[in-house]
Amino acid sequence: MATAAVQVGDRNSSSTRLALLNAAIDLLVDRGFGALTTTRLAEHAGFTRGALQHHFASRDDLLVQLYNFALSAELPRIPADAASLQLDERVEILISFLEENAASKWQAASIALIKGVDSRSPVGMAIRKTTYDMISRIHAKVKDLFPDVSLSPAEWATLIRNLSGEIYGSSQYIRWKTEDVIDIDTISSRALRRKIAKFYFSTILK
């Protein structure tokens, strides 16, 4: 039985690997990091452990490849002509882009992996290193949306961290902690993100 499964993996190597990775994403998002064992994954995906071992040398290898797979997913689309719109319209597109990205199963899976893996372990360090690739992709999308805004990479990171962090409930609201700028207790999340973005850009564009 196991031999047959491996042979199927050999004949359809890419499709078998893709099916295993997709099943791992679903298992991770639906049941959490602790549920992502090789035995449970093989069962969930409908393959034998032999087929799984044919594609992933170990659980650590699976976790690293799974994280890279999650980060390779397409980011939400930003309209091609968005950069020519008024600032308020671009702010709305930016907020929608970040919200859609945050709500995706790919983002949920990558966060579950980061939280589940010991950051000091070899696999944890490998995962965290590739995190910067996704951050760079997000920054590039945002910068393309605001070609008239001149910010350093650190300033873009601060803005996106505040907007995205608020979505995830983990923002430090860097540089915007005073109540006269943001009254966190009286405005909704989307309004808060909009206010952060508009405050930031209106300051930069003065």
Side-chain angles (χ1 to χ4, degrees):
M1 184 73 173
T3 302
V6 171
Q7 287 174 345
V8 169
D10 286 337
R11 288 196 301 270
N12 305 289
S13 182
S14 61
S15 61
T16 301
R17 179 178 176 276
L18 184 62
L20 287 164
L21 288 170
N22 275 309
I25 291 287
D26 291 339
L27 188 62
L28 184 63
V29 172
D30 294 342
R31 302 183 61 181
F33 182 80
L36 188 60
T37 64
T38 53
T39 300
R40 194 167 288 155
L41 172 57
E43 179 182 331
H44 184 71
F47 292 97
T48 65
R49 287 191 66 188
L52 181 64
Q53 291 165 355
H54 178 68
H55 290 277
F56 307 102
S58 64
R59 184 171 185 262
D60 282 356
D61 179 41
L62 167 66
L63 294 177
V64 172
Q65 291 197 47
L66 182 60
Y67 188 72
N68 290 333
F69 178 63
L71 293 192
S72 71
E74 282 297 316
L75 290 170
R77 183 178 175 275
I78 291 178
D81 62 344
S84 64
L85 299 174
Q86 294 297 314
L87 180 61
D88 284 1
E89 294 174 287
R90 284 183 283 158
V91 166
E92 294 299 329
I93 290 172
L94 169 63
I95 292 169
S96 295
F97 165 77
L98 293 173
E99 287 177 336
E100 187 177 341
N101 186 60
S104 74
K105 68 176 182 179
W106 311 106
Q107 187 68 15
S110 63
I111 290 173
L113 281 169
I114 289 173
K115 289 182 177 179
V117 173
D118 181 355
S119 62
R120 296 164 296 182
S121 68
V123 66
M125 288 188 286
I127 283 175
R128 288 183 181 277
K129 184 177 180 181
T130 56
T131 299
Y132 294 107
D133 295 337
M134 173 57 83
I135 293 172
S136 296
R137 290 173 66 200
I138 292 173
H139 284 194
K141 284 260 190 178
V142 173
K143 285 190 287 186
D144 287 346
L145 185 57
F146 299 95
D148 53 333
V149 176
S150 179
L151 296 176
S152 68
E155 288 171 323
W156 278 118
T158 298
L159 171 62
I160 295 169
R161 185 164 61 247
N162 273 278
L163 295 175
S164 299
E166 197 279 326
I167 294 171
Y168 303 128
S170 61
S171 178
Q172 299 175 25
Y173 300 107
I174 300 169
R175 301 183 189 176
W176 295 295
K177 291 185 178 180
T178 57
E179 290 185 5
D180 59 318
V181 175
I182 298 175
D183 183 356
I184 295 173
D185 295 329
T186 61
I187 56 180
S188 69
S189 294
R190 176 168 268 268
L192 176 55
R193 287 190 282 282
R194 186 185 298 111
K195 190 165 186 175
I196 290 173
K198 288 184 177 179
F199 174 74
Y200 201 125
F201 290 129
S202 63
T203 302
I204 294 297
L205 294 175
K206 277 183 179 178

Coordinates of all heavy atoms in Angstrom, one line a residue, residues 108-160:
A108 N -3.3 33.4 7.8 CA -3.6 32.7 9.0 C -2.7 31.5 9.3 O -2.2 31.3 10.4 CB -5.1 32.2 9.0
A109 N -2.4 30.8 8.2 CA -1.4 29.7 8.3 C 0.0 30.1 8.7 O 0.6 29.5 9.5 CB -1.4 28.9 7.0
S110 N 0.4 31.2 8.0 CA 1.8 31.7 8.3 C 1.9 32.2 9.7 O 2.9 32.0 10.4 CB 2.2 32.8 7.3 OG 1.4 33.9 7.4
I111 N 0.9 32.9 10.2 CA 0.9 33.3 11.6 C 0.9 32.2 12.6 O 1.6 32.2 13.6 CB -0.3 34.3 11.9 CG1 -0.1 35.6 11.1 CG2 -0.4 34.6 13.4 CD1 -1.3 36.5 11.2
A112 N 0.1 31.1 12.3 CA 0.1 29.9 13.1 C 1.4 29.3 13.2 O 1.9 28.8 14.2 CB -1.0 29.0 12.6
L113 N 2.1 29.2 12.1 CA 3.4 28.6 12.0 C 4.5 29.4 12.8 O 5.2 28.9 13.6 CB 3.9 28.5 10.6 CG 3.3 27.3 9.8 CD1 3.7 27.4 8.3 CD2 3.9 26.0 10.3
I114 N 4.4 30.7 12.6 CA 5.4 31.6 13.4 C 5.1 31.5 14.9 O 6.1 31.4 15.7 CB 5.2 33.1 13.0 CG1 5.7 33.3 11.5 CG2 5.9 34.0 13.9 CD1 5.5 34.6 11.0
K115 N 3.9 31.4 15.3 CA 3.6 31.3 16.7 C 3.9 29.9 17.3 O 4.2 29.7 18.4 CB 2.1 31.6 17.0 CG 1.8 33.1 16.8 CD 0.3 33.4 17.1 CE 0.1 34.9 17.0 NZ -1.4 35.2 17.3
G116 N 3.7 28.9 16.4 CA 3.9 27.5 16.9 C 5.3 27.0 17.0 O 5.7 26.2 17.8
V117 N 6.2 27.5 16.1 CA 7.6 27.1 16.0 C 8.4 27.9 17.0 O 8.3 29.1 17.1 CB 8.1 27.2 14.6 CG1 9.6 26.9 14.5 CG2 7.3 26.3 13.6
D118 N 9.3 27.2 17.7 CA 10.3 27.8 18.5 C 11.2 28.7 17.7 O 11.9 28.2 16.8 CB 11.1 26.8 19.3 CG 12.1 27.3 20.2 OD1 12.3 28.6 20.3 OD2 12.8 26.6 21.0
S119 N 11.2 30.0 17.9 CA 12.0 30.9 17.1 C 13.5 30.7 17.2 O 14.2 31.1 16.3 CB 11.6 32.4 17.4 OG 12.0 32.6 18.8
R120 N 13.9 30.0 18.2 CA 15.4 29.8 18.4 C 15.8 28.5 17.7 O 17.0 28.2 17.6 CB 15.7 29.7 19.9 CG 15.4 31.0 20.6 CD 15.4 30.8 22.1 NE 14.3 29.9 22.5 CZ 14.0 29.6 23.8 NH1 14.7 30.1 24.7 NH2 13.0 28.8 24.0
S121 N 14.9 27.7 17.3 CA 15.3 26.4 16.6 C 15.7 26.7 15.2 O 15.4 27.7 14.6 CB 14.1 25.5 16.6 OG 13.0 26.0 15.8
P122 N 16.4 25.8 14.5 CA 16.8 26.0 13.1 C 15.6 26.2 12.2 O 15.7 27.1 11.3 CB 17.5 24.6 12.8 CG 18.0 24.2 14.1 CD 17.0 24.5 15.1
V123 N 14.5 25.5 12.4 CA 13.3 25.7 11.5 C 12.7 27.0 11.8 O 12.2 27.7 10.9 CB 12.3 24.5 11.7 CG1 11.7 24.5 13.1 CG2 11.2 24.6 10.6
G124 N 12.7 27.4 13.1 CA 12.1 28.7 13.5 C 12.9 29.9 12.9 O 12.3 30.8 12.4
M125 N 14.2 29.8 12.9 CA 15.1 30.8 12.3 C 14.9 30.8 10.8 O 14.9 31.9 10.2 CB 16.5 30.6 12.7 CG 16.8 30.9 14.1 SD 18.6 30.8 14.6 CE 18.9 29.1 14.5
A126 N 14.7 29.7 10.1 CA 14.5 29.6 8.7 C 13.2 30.3 8.3 O 13.1 31.0 7.3 CB 14.6 28.2 8.2
I127 N 12.2 30.0 9.1 CA 10.8 30.6 8.9 C 10.9 32.1 9.0 O 10.4 32.8 8.2 CB 9.8 29.9 9.8 CG1 9.4 28.6 9.2 CG2 8.5 30.8 9.9 CD1 8.5 27.8 10.1
R128 N 11.5 32.6 10.1 CA 11.5 34.0 10.3 C 12.3 34.8 9.3 O 12.0 35.9 8.9 CB 12.0 34.3 11.8 CG 11.0 33.9 12.8 CD 11.4 34.2 14.2 NE 10.4 33.8 15.2 CZ 9.3 34.5 15.5 NH1 9.1 35.7 14.9 NH2 8.5 34.1 16.4
K129 N 13.3 34.1 8.8 CA 14.2 34.8 7.8 C 13.3 35.0 6.5 O 13.4 36.1 5.9 CB 15.4 33.9 7.5 CG 16.3 34.5 6.5 CD 17.6 33.7 6.2 CE 18.5 34.3 5.2 NZ 19.7 33.5 5.0
T130 N 12.5 34.0 6.1 CA 11.7 34.2 4.9 C 10.5 35.1 5.1 O 9.9 35.6 4.1 CB 11.2 32.8 4.4 OG1 10.5 32.2 5.4 CG2 12.4 31.9 4.0
T131 N 10.2 35.5 6.3 CA 9.1 36.4 6.6 C 9.4 37.8 5.9 O 8.5 38.4 5.4 CB 9.0 36.7 8.1 OG1 8.6 35.4 8.8 CG2 7.9 37.7 8.4
Y132 N 10.7 38.1 5.8 CA 11.0 39.4 5.2 C 10.7 39.5 3.7 O 10.4 40.5 3.2 CB 12.5 39.7 5.4 CG 12.9 39.9 6.8 CD1 13.6 39.0 7.6 CD2 12.4 41.1 7.5 CE1 13.9 39.2 8.9 CE2 12.7 41.3 8.9 CZ 13.5 40.3 9.5 OH 13.8 40.5 10.9
D133 N 10.6 38.3 3.1 CA 10.2 38.2 1.7 C 8.8 38.7 1.5 O 8.4 39.5 0.6 CB 10.4 36.8 1.1 CG 11.8 36.4 1.1 OD1 12.7 37.2 1.1 OD2 12.0 35.1 1.1
M134 N 7.9 38.2 2.4 CA 6.5 38.7 2.3 C 6.3 40.1 2.6 O 5.6 40.9 2.0 CB 5.6 37.8 3.3 CG 4.2 38.3 3.4 SD 3.3 38.4 1.8 CE 2.8 36.7 1.7
I135 N 7.1 40.6 3.6 CA 7.0 42.0 4.0 C 7.4 42.9 2.8 O 6.8 43.9 2.5 CB 7.9 42.3 5.2 CG1 7.3 41.6 6.5 CG2 8.0 43.8 5.5 CD1 8.2 41.6 7.7
S136 N 8.5 42.4 2.1 CA 9.0 43.2 1.0 C 7.9 43.2 -0.1 O 7.7 44.3 -0.8 CB 10.3 42.6 0.4 OG 11.3 42.7 1.4
R137 N 7.2 42.1 -0.3 CA 6.2 42.1 -1.4 C 5.0 43.0 -1.0 O 4.5 43.8 -1.9 CB 5.6 40.7 -1.5 CG 6.6 39.7 -2.1 CD 6.0 38.3 -2.0 NE 4.8 38.1 -2.9 CZ 3.9 37.2 -2.7 NH1 4.0 36.3 -1.8 NH2 2.9 37.1 -3.6
I138 N 4.6 43.1 0.2 CA 3.6 44.0 0.7 C 4.0 45.4 0.5 O 3.3 46.3 0.0 CB 3.2 43.7 2.1 CG1 2.5 42.3 2.2 CG2 2.3 44.8 2.7 CD1 2.2 41.9 3.6
H139 N 5.3 45.7 0.9 CA 5.8 47.1 0.8 C 5.8 47.5 -0.6 O 5.4 48.7 -1.0 CB 7.2 47.2 1.4 CG 7.2 47.2 2.9 ND1 8.3 47.5 3.6 CD2 6.3 46.9 3.8 CE1 8.1 47.4 4.9 NE2 6.8 47.0 5.0
A140 N 6.2 46.7 -1.5 CA 6.2 47.0 -3.0 C 4.9 47.4 -3.5 O 4.7 48.3 -4.3 CB 6.8 45.9 -3.8
K141 N 3.8 46.6 -3.1 CA 2.5 46.9 -3.5 C 2.0 48.2 -3.0 O 1.4 49.0 -3.8 CB 1.5 45.8 -3.0 CG 1.6 44.4 -3.7 CD 0.5 44.3 -4.7 CE 0.3 42.9 -5.3 NZ -0.8 42.8 -6.2
V142 N 2.3 48.5 -1.8 CA 1.8 49.7 -1.2 C 2.6 50.9 -1.8 O 1.9 52.0 -2.1 CB 2.0 49.7 0.4 CG1 1.7 51.1 1.0 CG2 1.2 48.6 1.0
K143 N 3.9 50.8 -2.0 CA 4.6 51.9 -2.6 C 4.1 52.2 -4.0 O 4.1 53.4 -4.4 CB 6.1 51.6 -2.6 CG 6.7 51.7 -1.2 CD 8.2 51.6 -1.3 CE 8.7 50.2 -1.5 NZ 10.2 50.1 -1.4
D144 N 3.8 51.2 -4.8 CA 3.2 51.4 -6.1 C 1.9 52.1 -6.1 O 1.5 52.9 -7.0 CB 3.0 50.0 -6.8 CG 4.3 49.4 -7.2 OD1 5.3 50.1 -7.2 OD2 4.3 48.2 -7.6
L145 N 1.1 52.0 -5.0 CA -0.1 52.7 -4.8 C 0.0 54.1 -4.5 O -0.8 55.0 -4.8 CB -0.9 52.0 -3.7 CG -2.4 52.4 -3.5 CD1 -3.2 52.3 -4.7 CD2 -3.0 51.6 -2.3
F146 N 1.2 54.5 -3.9 CA 1.4 55.9 -3.5 C 2.8 56.4 -4.1 O 3.7 56.7 -3.4 CB 1.5 56.0 -2.0 CG 0.2 55.6 -1.3 CD1 0.0 54.3 -0.9 CD2 -0.8 56.5 -1.2 CE1 -1.2 54.0 -0.3 CE2 -2.0 56.2 -0.6 CZ -2.2 54.9 -0.1
P147 N 2.9 56.5 -5.4 CA 4.2 56.9 -6.0 C 4.5 58.4 -5.7 O 5.7 58.7 -5.8 CB 3.9 56.8 -7.5 CG 2.4 56.9 -7.7 CD 1.9 56.3 -6.5
D148 N 3.6 59.1 -5.3 CA 3.8 60.5 -4.9 C 4.3 60.7 -3.5 O 4.6 61.8 -3.0 CB 2.6 61.4 -5.2 CG 1.3 60.8 -4.5 OD1 1.3 59.6 -4.3 OD2 0.4 61.6 -4.2
V149 N 4.3 59.6 -2.7 CA 4.7 59.7 -1.3 C 6.1 59.2 -1.2 O 6.4 58.1 -1.5 CB 3.7 58.9 -0.4 CG1 4.2 58.9 1.0 CG2 2.3 59.4 -0.6
S150 N 7.0 60.1 -0.6 CA 8.4 59.7 -0.5 C 8.6 59.3 1.0 O 8.6 60.2 1.9 CB 9.3 60.9 -0.8 OG 10.6 60.6 -0.6
L151 N 8.8 58.0 1.2 CA 9.1 57.5 2.5 C 10.2 56.5 2.5 O 10.5 55.9 1.5 CB 7.8 56.7 3.1 CG 6.5 57.5 3.3 CD1 5.5 56.5 3.8 CD2 6.7 58.5 4.4
S152 N 11.0 56.5 3.6 CA 12.1 55.5 3.6 C 11.5 54.1 3.9 O 10.3 54.0 4.3 CB 13.0 55.9 4.8 OG 12.3 55.7 6.0
P153 N 12.2 53.1 3.7 CA 11.7 51.7 4.0 C 11.2 51.6 5.4 O 10.2 50.9 5.7 CB 12.9 50.8 3.7 CG 13.7 51.5 2.6 CD 13.5 53.0 3.0
A154 N 12.0 52.2 6.3 CA 11.6 52.2 7.8 C 10.2 52.9 8.0 O 9.4 52.4 8.8 CB 12.6 52.8 8.6
E155 N 10.0 54.0 7.3 CA 8.7 54.7 7.5 C 7.6 53.9 6.9 O 6.5 53.9 7.4 CB 8.8 56.1 6.8 CG 9.7 57.0 7.6 CD 10.0 58.3 6.8 OE1 10.2 58.3 5.6 OE2 10.1 59.4 7.5
W156 N 7.8 53.3 5.7 CA 6.8 52.4 5.1 C 6.4 51.3 6.1 O 5.3 50.9 6.3 CB 7.2 51.8 3.8 CG 7.0 52.7 2.6 CD1 8.0 53.2 1.8 CD2 5.8 53.3 2.1 NE1 7.5 54.0 0.8 CE2 6.1 54.1 1.0 CE3 4.5 53.1 2.5 CZ2 5.1 54.7 0.2 CZ3 3.5 53.8 1.8 CH2 3.8 54.6 0.6
A157 N 7.5 50.7 6.7 CA 7.3 49.6 7.6 C 6.5 50.1 8.8 O 5.6 49.3 9.3 CB 8.6 49.0 8.1
T158 N 6.7 51.3 9.3 CA 6.0 51.8 10.5 C 4.5 52.0 10.1 O 3.7 51.5 10.9 CB 6.6 53.2 10.9 OG1 7.9 53.0 11.3 CG2 5.8 53.7 12.1
L159 N 4.2 52.5 9.0 CA 2.8 52.7 8.6 C 2.1 51.4 8.4 O 1.0 51.2 9.0 CB 2.8 53.5 7.2 CG 1.4 53.5 6.6 CD1 0.4 54.3 7.5 CD2 1.5 54.2 5.2
I160 N 2.7 50.4 7.7 CA 2.1 49.2 7.5 C 1.9 48.4 8.8 O 0.9 47.7 9.0 CB 2.8 48.4 6.4 CG1 2.7 49.1 5.0 CG2 2.3 47.0 6.2 CD1 3.7 48.6 4.0

